[in-house]
């Protein structure tokens, strides 16, 4: 039989429970605008029934507060993280692609490619009518120089953007390291509290908010597993293992966390010819192993940064190893045979048979048509290979740098290089067949303005034996011993260093407009100018079209990618909004709902108080007014 005063105990349990529910509701209302806060709920259970040895068997003993927990659904969390990764990927790409699009966009018609290119050929038409007029000559040379400066500036802008992305990659790595450390610290604090029987709801919210932040940078997966008692597997200890994976690699293991760091590429580790120095790669700080920042199945801002910074559209050199020695590797079956399309750096990194090698220079041979048939990479001394390893390389595929299947900055740099090499080569070939107003043979008009003595000495070695420079020491052309005397390599010419020869820039008389035959006949001829004018649109030199189609091709590339990013950004933003609503329907604090709960729990509190009041009257009657 239960105690006479047992009803008071039951009523007090209801009073305490209602008080806990009101306090929790007040906490929810207070945090309605707190970022990352999850609604908390009071979980109640009926107290264990009491056996009274009566016909009805047992009697209820009231209510107990079992726990105060978050109202959160892991299913929606994972959906949110996956979508956040995709959204971060396309948002970041769109941000960079908009900048590249602006670089090529001709909003300012005075400085756009089409205006400058057309102006140069208009000046050339005027020159055709007055080839001996010094003023007309200077006007043409000025427009030609303006064209080279346009490409110089455009290349510089792309390199500045590449440098900006490089810095942002380091910032992203710092953010990842910061998150990993905080997650490990929070996990330890959570376990300490929950092993003592509590529930660390606020700390769990902070940890989840960190995972939300991390999911936008990289692909993330979080796994929480209860820690059981080894002697009693069914006994829950209160602690959990909490593991975080990014791009499929473990970042946090409960209280332990791994750190990433950035490592600058050395000169002999470059991937593309026009890359800036010091591009970052990411490795694990503990063992130095590479971190895969661009897995095919994931997204995130970090992957977007690498794709735009390093994207070469898979147009890096691929070949088959035909022979190998201790200090060199020779390849044939090249994916790029046109020397003007070659985009590999003068010294860089090659990979074959799952091994990496750094080369200091390379030599190449061509056939009678000028196509490259083989390339020999001269390895760093530190990468000298044994005869056994060399024999296993033969027949293996080889690639220079890395395949990045996206049209990023290296791709657009190489497209400009290809156009300029083809255009300048054809222009120079025509010019070199003529003489200036003094009857002197013209060497070249467009040149690579950098002083390349050190490059020739260390990179191309004695393969380049005939070097032509202007009076300022700039390389005009380089002829290889494997070439015929009339062939010259424009591989060293890029959008960043193209210019006009300084001698012609200073003295317009040195520009050739006619051949030696017409000059000696005394005719003020412009037969070379007629040939040069065909280069404007009639001569095929870039992707099957004329020179005037250059910008159309490039702008089509960048516009398609930019629009794709815009479409996917919009789609994933809409999906994010939908998932967030679903997520908040479970975890969010709704003011109206909390107001109703507050009234409901207040009524429960009042009823429990009324029960106590009633029992008080009963006990008063029993004790004071009942007796003999």
């Amino acid at each position: 039989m239960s105690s006479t005063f047992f009803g008071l105990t039951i009523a007090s349990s209801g009073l305490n429970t209602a008080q806990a529910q009101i306090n929790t509701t007040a906490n929810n209302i207070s945090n309605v605008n707190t970022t990352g806060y999850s609604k908390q709920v009071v979980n109640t259970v009926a107290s264990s029934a009491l056996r009274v040895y009566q016909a009805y068997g047992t009697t209820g003993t009231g209510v107990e507060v079992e726990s105060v927990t978050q109202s959160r659904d892991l299913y929606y969390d994972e959906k949110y993280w996956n979508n956040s990764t995709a959204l971060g990927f396309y948002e970041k790409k769109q941000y960079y692609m908009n900048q590249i699009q602006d670089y090529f966009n001709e909003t300012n018609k005075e400085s756009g490619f089409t205006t400058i290119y057309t102006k140069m050929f208009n000046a050339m038409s005027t020159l055709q009518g007055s080839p001996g007029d010094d003023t007309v000559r200077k006007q043409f040379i000025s427009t030609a120089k303006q064209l080279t400066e346009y490409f110089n500036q455009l290349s510089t802008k792309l390199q500045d953007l590449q440098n900006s992305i490089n810095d942002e990659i380091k910032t992203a790595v710092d953010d990842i390291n910061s998150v990993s450390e905080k997650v490990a610290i929070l996990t330890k604090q959570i376990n300490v509290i929950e092993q003592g029987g509590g529930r660390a709801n606020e700390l769990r919210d902070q940890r989840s908010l960190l995972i939300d932040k991390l999911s936008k940078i990289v692909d993330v997966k979080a796994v929480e597993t209860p820690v059981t008692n080894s002697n009693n597997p069914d006994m829950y200890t209160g602690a959990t293992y909490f593991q975080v994976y990014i791009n499929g690699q473990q970042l946090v293991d409960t209280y332990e966390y791994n750190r990433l760091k950035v490592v600058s590429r050395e000169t002999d580790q470059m991937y593309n010819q026009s890359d800036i120095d010091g591009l970052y790669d990411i490795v694990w700080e503990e063992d130095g192993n590479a971190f895969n920042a661009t897995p095919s199945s994931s997204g995130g801002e970090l992957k977007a940064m690498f794709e735009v910074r390093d994207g070469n559209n898979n147009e890096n050199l691929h070949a088959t190893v035909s022979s190998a020695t201790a200090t060199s590797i020779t390849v044939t079956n090249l994916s790029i045979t046109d020397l003007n399309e070659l985009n590999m750096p003068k010294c860089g990194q090659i990979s074959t048979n799952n091994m990496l090698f750094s080369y200091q220079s390379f030599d190449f041979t061509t056939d009678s048509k000028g196509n490259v048939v083989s390339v020999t990479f001269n390895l760093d001394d530190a990468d000298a290979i044994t005869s056994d390893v060399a024999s296993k390389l033969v027949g293996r595929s080889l690639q220079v740098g890395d395949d990045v299947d996206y049209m990023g900055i290296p791709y657009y740099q190489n497209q400009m290089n290809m156009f300029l090499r083809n255009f300048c080569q054809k222009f120079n070939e025509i010019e070199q067949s003529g003489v200036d107003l003094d009857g002197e043979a013209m060497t070249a008009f467009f040149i690579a303005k950098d002083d390349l003595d050190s490059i020739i000495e260390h990179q191309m070695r004695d393969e380049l034996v005939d070097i032509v420079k202007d009076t300022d020491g700039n390389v005009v052309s380089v002829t290889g011993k494997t070439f015929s005397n009339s062939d010259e390599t424009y591989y060293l010419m890029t959008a960043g260093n193209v210019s006009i020869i300084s001698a012609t820039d200073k003295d317009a008389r040195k520009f050739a407009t006619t051949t030696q035959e017409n000059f000696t006949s005394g005719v003020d001829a412009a037969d070379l100018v007629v040939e040069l004018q065909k280069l404007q649109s009639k001569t095929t030199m870039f992707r099957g079209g004329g020179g005037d189609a250059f910008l159309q091709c490039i702008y089509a590339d960048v516009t398609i990618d930019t629009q794709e990013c815009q479409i996917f950004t919009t789609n994933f933003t809409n999906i994010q909004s939908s998932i967030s609503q679903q997520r908040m329907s479970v975890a969010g604090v709704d003011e109206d709902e909390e107001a109703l709960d507050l009234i409901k729990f207040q009524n429960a509190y009042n009823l429990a108080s009324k029960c106590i009041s009633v029992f008080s009257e009963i006990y008063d009657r029993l004790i004071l007014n009942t007796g003999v």
Side-chain angles (χ1 to χ4, degrees), residues 281-395:
D281 287 320
I282 304 178
V283 299
W284 292 103
E285 190 174 86
E286 183 177 0
D287 53 21
N289 290 334
F291 171 75
N292 186 9
T294 57
S296 58
S297 59
S298 68
E301 293 179 343
L302 191 63
K303 181 179 179 181
M305 287 186 270
F306 270 94
E307 286 197 353
V308 177
R309 191 196 72 174
D310 297 339
N312 53 26
N313 200 34
N314 285 346
E315 293 180 1
N316 52 320
L317 182 68
H318 293 75
T320 303
V321 178
S322 59
S323 64
T325 67
T327 58
S328 67
I329 297 177
T330 300
V331 296
T332 55
N333 299 326
L334 309 177
S335 61
I336 302 175
T337 58
D338 187 343
L339 192 58
N340 287 349
E341 296 181 6
L342 203 61
N343 61 350
M344 61 184 183
K346 294 172 286 293
C347 58
Q349 198 169 71
I350 55 178
S351 58
T352 178
N353 199 25
N354 294 322
M355 291 184 287
L356 294 176
F357 300 95
S358 296
Y359 64 92
Q360 293 178 329
S361 62
F362 66 87
D363 309 321
F364 52 85
T365 57
T366 60
D367 58 18
S368 58
K369 297 180 180 180
N371 295 319
V372 182
V373 294
S374 69
V375 176
T376 299
F377 297 97
N378 303 305
L379 305 180
D380 286 347
D381 295 335
D383 283 341
I385 53 181
T386 63
S387 57
D388 182 53
V389 173
S391 63
K392 293 180 180 180
L393 298 181
V394 177

Side-chain angles (χ1 to χ4, degrees), residues 256-301:
E256 304 295 328
Y257 61 94
N258 297 315
R259 292 181 62 86
L260 298 170
K261 69 175 183 179
V262 294
V263 178
S264 297
R265 293 177 190 167
E266 301 294 335
T267 304
D268 57 358
Q269 295 175 333
M270 302 299 289
Y271 288 175
N272 306 286
Q273 184 179 15
S274 297
D275 283 346
I276 62 172
D277 294 332
L279 291 181
Y280 292 134
D281 287 320
I282 304 178
V283 299
W284 292 103
E285 190 174 86
E286 183 177 0
D287 53 21
N289 290 334
F291 171 75
N292 186 9
T294 57
S296 58
S297 59
S298 68
E301 293 179 343

